[in-house]
Amino acid sequence: MIKIKNLTKYYGTGDNRFKVLDDISLEIKDGEYVVVLGASGSGKSTLLNVVSGLEKSDSGSICYDEKSISNMSEKQLTSFRKDNTAFIFQQYYLLPNLNVEKNVKMGADLYGNKDYKKYIEAVGLSDKLKKFPNELSGGEQQRVSIARALAKNPKVLFLDEPTGALDEKTGRLVLDYIIKLQKEQKFTMIMVTHNSNIAETADTVVRMNSGKIIEVTKNQHKKSAYEIGW
Amino acid sequence: MIVSIKDSFKLFGIFIITCCAVTVCNMFLNYYLDIIDIESLINNEYAQIFYDAQIMTCKVVCAVSGGCLLATTVVMLFFYIKHYIDSHGKEIGILKALGYSDFRIARSFSVFGLSVFTGCIAGYLISFALMPSFYELQNEDKILPEFSISFHPALFIILVAVPAIVFACIAVIHSMRKLKQPAVNLLKGITKAKGKNIEIKNKKNFIADMKSSVIRNRKTLVFFICFSSFCFAAMIQMSASMKDLSSEYMGIMIFIIGVTLAFTTLYIAVTTVINSNSKNIAMMRVFGYQTSQCKTAVLDGYRPAAYIGFFIGTAYQFGLLKMMVEIVFADFEGVPEYNFDVKMFLITLAAFIVVYEGIMLIYSSRIKSISVKEVMSE
Ligand SMILES: Nc1ncnc2c1ncn2[C@@H]1O[C@H](COP(=O)(O)OP(=O)(O)OP(=O)(O)O)[C@@H](O)[C@H]1O
Ligand SMILES: [Mg+2]
């Protein structure tokens, strides 16, 4: 269970100071699949970073099962991330000097996962094991970053536009795989996206505008990645 | 201008090395030119032997230290050029895409000659400041007839003007070669130069994979770290023996040069490793690797090179001194027999271990200060 209470965050100083997150409160149950929707610049990525402990908030609290991460030291946060979370970033952020296989191994090793190749296969990159990030297309890089995160076997998975760089066919394929895995392994999943169709696959949809949550809806009937429009 | 004059000031490794090289070479060459003038005035055999030994010393010192430092300067210049092109790949790529010719871009690298020039000038001035006491010391016992310091314009040209021009040309030529690749590759960060996209065998875990990739991607830094501990080992042990063989003054001079070179190259190497890997480190931290694991992955791979450099340096200084004593000073009485100084070796080794591991420890706090948010800074 993730409890977010009165979260506020500012960026900038002096006259440039503005609120990116404005009094955000939210509860996310274990195994829940949440989609965050909102216009560009509304603070979605920032929310993800703060909730996952990558960035500090200015006020408010974030608790994972009663354990607050707001006051953790950098070392504690690191080991918290090791045991609990994985990320798929909007800009992929692969390690440029390592090939696909080793990029995925980076995630897998933390969990002691020797069987990481199946994730690479699942995102359709088994023939690109030895390729380096700069030899891959944007969408391929995005899929590597997905495999890397999944191989870590996280309790909570954060995804920032995981299908943003993918065409419809690959996008559906990858999304379907992520959702299937989520159902199987029952991890919590928080996904940011522009694509409001994707929201139909989630348990909960959170809409944001100018740093505020404006609406939270529950889906009665979740659709699969192949049933939604794109 | 693509590479600015300000950039040339950042090459302080080159500044330090050329400064040391010119200090030593100018001092000995100036001395050499001054004493060959008085050769005809020498009237006894003892003085002649002394004179021959002095001439030989000048030649050996200039050839060994000059040659060694010259080679290092070239390596360092190549390193800085590659580093500059790698870290400014996007800008340079865009310029190329816009139609700038390779030569037009490469020619701005000639400002790197400026750092050689400033280093040489500094060394040149320092050597003149040290020369009076050096001269006095060399002829302490008045074996040679009187002579004084004179100014040799040729030395200024050879040691200051020529290196600056030659290195400026080398910089242009070398950067031309590095720039000869499609603009897209520069933009994407695929450098044709060996060094990127190197396949490494699967190691037992990710940290080990990372460790060997870090080393393979920056082989020049292995050389720098090796060179650094080489200088440390060679110069400190040599300075101790010099105290007995020659004079305290020479000992101190060698000690200072050795320590300066060692720390400069180590500093350049380690800061480069960490800066060029800061994104990787941040990403590892995001996933939950602790600082100590990041340090292992990024820094520990260089340890063997450091220790190998240390032992090569030890062997080198022993060989050099043995040669000096047995060949150069062979006919000269009063030179103590030279043997390997085990005690000094152990002291230097202990100092080296403390200093090297201490510095690595300091740098792991640098690693700690890299924020996980750094992955997101583009
Ligand atoms: N490091 C920063 N310093 C200052 N302002 C920032 C910083 N990072 C983001 N911002 C600003 O904060 C606001 C929210 O950014 P955020 O990245 O969270 O938006 P987003 O909802 O993820 O947008 P998008 O859908 O385009 O990714 C934006 O207006 C952005 O300009
Ligand atoms: Mg975003």
Side-chain angles (χ1 to χ4, degrees):
Chain A
M1 174 87 132
I2 309 171
K3 277 193 192 142
I4 305 164
K5 251 211 194 113
N6 308 109
L7 209 59
T8 303
K9 180 166 178 71
Y10 293 88
Y11 268 136
T13 48
D15 286 348
N16 289 325
R17 194 169 150 95
F18 69 104
K19 251 186 198 168
V20 219
L21 297 180
D22 188 356
D23 195 27
I24 293 209
S25 298
L26 189 67
E27 287 195 3
I28 300 167
K29 289 204 259 326
D30 286 341
E32 191 171 345
Y33 167 20
V34 179
V35 160
V36 181
L37 286 176
S40 177
S42 56
K44 304 179 302 286
S45 299
T46 313
L47 178 67
L48 223 55
N49 293 344
V50 172
V51 172
S52 58
L54 288 184
E55 266 184 272
K56 293 264 180 216
S57 63
D58 291 306
S59 65
S61 68
I62 302 153
C63 295
Y64 285 76
D65 301 330
E66 311 307 319
K67 215 165 53 196
S68 167
I69 63 159
S70 313
N71 307 316
M72 280 190 185
S73 70
E74 197 48 52
K75 199 175 163 133
Q76 289 168 319
L77 271 176
T78 306
S79 82
F80 164 78
R81 284 196 297 267
K82 171 175 179 281
D83 297 332
N84 297 287
T85 64
F87 297 82
I88 297 165
F89 289 99
Q90 204 167 1
Q91 288 90 351
Y92 335 132
Y93 303 127
L94 301 178
L95 304 184
N97 297 330
L98 296 178
N99 64 22
V100 169
E101 180 179 357
K102 294 199 177 88
N103 262 286
V104 175
K105 199 169 163 192
M106 163 175 162
D109 257 14
L110 281 170
Y111 186 73
N113 192 348
K114 294 266 174 267
D115 187 23
Y116 53 87
K117 283 197 183 136
K118 72 171 189 220
Y119 298 98
I120 304 176
E121 199 174 317
V123 296
L125 290 176
S126 336
D127 55 334
K128 302 242 153 72
L129 275 186
K130 303 287 172 204
K131 292 266 189 208
F132 285 83
N134 57 23
E135 299 164 338
L136 299 175
S137 72
E140 287 165 343
Q141 291 182 48
Q142 186 153 42
R143 283 183 275 158
V144 178
S145 105
I146 292 171
R148 176 176 70 178
L150 294 176
K152 191 171 176 266
N153 235 333
K155 296 198 180 73
V156 186
L157 178 62
F158 295 93
L159 311 94
D160 198 345
E161 293 283 356
T163 54
L166 305 180
D167 62 275
E168 179 177 342
K169 184 164 171 268
T170 325
R172 280 184 203 275
L173 194 96
V174 168
L175 185 64
D176 183 57
Y177 179 65
I178 296 174
I179 293 173
K180 222 167 60 205
L181 214 64
Q182 193 259 341
K183 258 188 211 144
E184 243 171 65
Q185 300 178 359
K186 300 199 170 43
F187 52 80
T188 310
M189 188 153 98
I190 306 174
M191 182 191 297
V192 164
T193 176
H194 277 129
N195 187 340
S196 51
N197 291 319
I198 290 182
E200 295 175 47
T201 62
D203 297 308
T204 309
V205 184
V206 175
R207 278 173 214 277
M208 283 184 73
N209 192 13
S210 317
K212 285 200 186 75
I213 293 185
I214 50 169
E215 189 187 25
V216 180
T217 48
K218 303 268 173 196
N219 277 335
Q220 299 307 328
H221 301 286
K222 289 200 283 181
K223 291 186 177 169
S224 84
Y226 291 103
E227 291 164 341
I228 57 171
W230 198 266
Chain B
M1 189 75 96
I2 294 123
V3 189
S4 66
I5 293 186
K6 226 173 84 200
D7 288 315
S8 80
F9 294 131
K10 290 186 194 140
L11 316 189
F12 93 112
I14 291 197
F15 174 83
I16 300 272
I17 292 188
T18 47
C19 178
C20 289
V22 172
T23 305
V24 174
C25 290
N26 189 46
M27 201 147 82
F28 279 93
L29 287 177
N30 212 71
Y31 179 73
Y32 172 83
L33 292 177
D34 283 341
I35 58 171
I36 50 176
D37 277 349
I38 54 154
E39 192 186 358
S40 54
L41 303 178
I42 293 170
N43 50 17
N44 66 62
E45 197 185 340
Y46 185 66
Q48 186 65 43
I49 295 172
F50 182 76
Y51 170 84
D52 290 343
Q54 295 271 303
I55 291 282
M56 190 69 178
T57 311
C58 288
K59 285 183 184 161
V60 172
V61 169
C62 285
V64 171
S65 61
C68 178
L69 294 177
L70 183 76
T72 312
T73 312
V74 174
V75 175
M76 205 167 261
L77 183 72
F78 285 4
F79 161 78
Y80 276 121
I81 290 174
K82 180 176 179 317
H83 188 66
Y84 190 92
I85 295 180
D86 281 353
S87 55
H88 294 77
K90 289 228 164 77
E91 288 107 303
I92 295 174
I94 290 167
L95 287 177
K96 276 191 69 152
L98 287 174
Y100 277 70
S101 71
D102 286 352
F103 179 69
R104 188 141 169 219
I105 301 171
R107 123 189 128 183
S108 69
F109 278 91
S110 60
V111 298
F112 284 5
L114 212 62
S115 18
V116 174
F117 182 74
T118 45
C120 291
I121 280 278
Y124 191 75
L125 296 177
I126 291 174
S127 71
F128 271 106
L130 296 174
M131 235 176 258
S133 37
F134 175 71
Y135 271 50
E136 198 168 313
L137 207 102
Q138 290 294 65
N139 200 16
E140 212 171 17
D141 305 327
K142 303 275 175 249
I143 301 168
L144 295 177
E146 277 297 313
F147 61 94
S148 60
I149 301 172
S150 37
F151 172 71
H152 302 279
L155 283 184
F156 181 81
I157 294 174
I158 295 172
L159 293 176
V160 181
V162 172
I165 295 168
V166 169
F167 275 101
C169 295
I170 294 178
V172 174
I173 294 168
H174 186 71
S175 54
M176 276 280 274
R177 289 187 41 219
K178 290 274 153 191
L179 288 169
K180 216 172 247 149
Q181 50 181 315
V184 195
N185 286 4
L186 285 164
L187 285 169
K188 278 193 186 172
I190 311 170
T191 23
K192 216 198 320 173
K194 296 168 273 161
K196 282 267 166 77
N197 292 8
I198 296 165
E199 197 45 60
I200 38 170
K201 282 210 196 73
N202 270 337
K203 297 274 162 41
K204 63 178 183 304
N205 59 36
F206 170 75
I207 299 286
D209 285 333
M210 187 73 191
K211 201 159 124 182
S212 43
S213 139
V214 166
I215 296 179
R216 295 290 193 82
N217 272 288
R218 302 223 164 235
K219 288 199 207 80
T220 326
L221 297 183
V222 177
F223 172 79
F224 284 174
I225 295 212
C226 204
F227 178 76
S228 161
S229 51
F230 171 90
C231 288
F232 190 92
M235 305 287 215
I236 290 184
Q237 293 180 74
M238 205 187 289
S239 85
S241 319
M242 274 295 178
K243 261 194 234 155
D244 308 334
L245 294 174
S246 170
S247 64
E248 191 140 354
Y249 181 83
M250 285 288 285
I252 292 172
M253 198 179 80
I254 290 179
F255 181 86
I256 292 174
I257 291 179
V259 171
T260 312
L261 287 177
F263 280 101
T264 313
T265 37
L266 187 65
Y267 172 81
I268 294 172
V270 181
T271 41
T272 315
V273 182
I274 293 185
N275 291 342
S276 57
N277 282 291
S278 64
K279 284 241 167 73
N280 298 341
I281 293 169
M283 197 64 220
M284 286 171 69
R285 297 264 296 282
V286 166
F287 268 74
Y289 286 93
Q290 289 291 356
T291 312
S292 56
Q293 291 174 301
C294 299
K295 178 196 165 250
T296 309
V298 173
L299 292 179
D300 283 4
Y302 291 102
R303 184 173 286 117
Y307 283 88
I308 290 171
F310 184 89
F311 289 107
I312 298 177
T314 303
Y316 165 86
Q317 63 92 28
F318 174 72
L320 190 69
L321 285 180
K322 193 95 190 151
M323 188 186 86
M324 291 276 269
V325 170
E326 298 203 335
I327 301 171
V328 181
F329 292 104
D331 310 327
F332 203 61
E333 290 158 34
V335 173
E337 198 188 331
Y338 174 68
N339 284 314
F340 188 73
D341 190 344
V342 178
K343 195 169 132 224
M344 197 56 212
F345 167 74
L346 292 177
I347 293 173
T348 318
L349 181 62
F352 175 73
I353 293 173
V354 171
V355 171
Y356 183 80
E357 303 300 337
I359 287 177
M360 292 301 134
L361 222 60
I362 293 171
Y363 274 105
S364 58
S365 71
R366 254 285 283 134
I367 289 180
K368 208 167 167 178
S369 73
I370 293 174
S371 120
V372 287
K373 269 222 83 181
E374 197 143 323
V375 280
M376 292 164 228
S377 63
E378 277 297 67

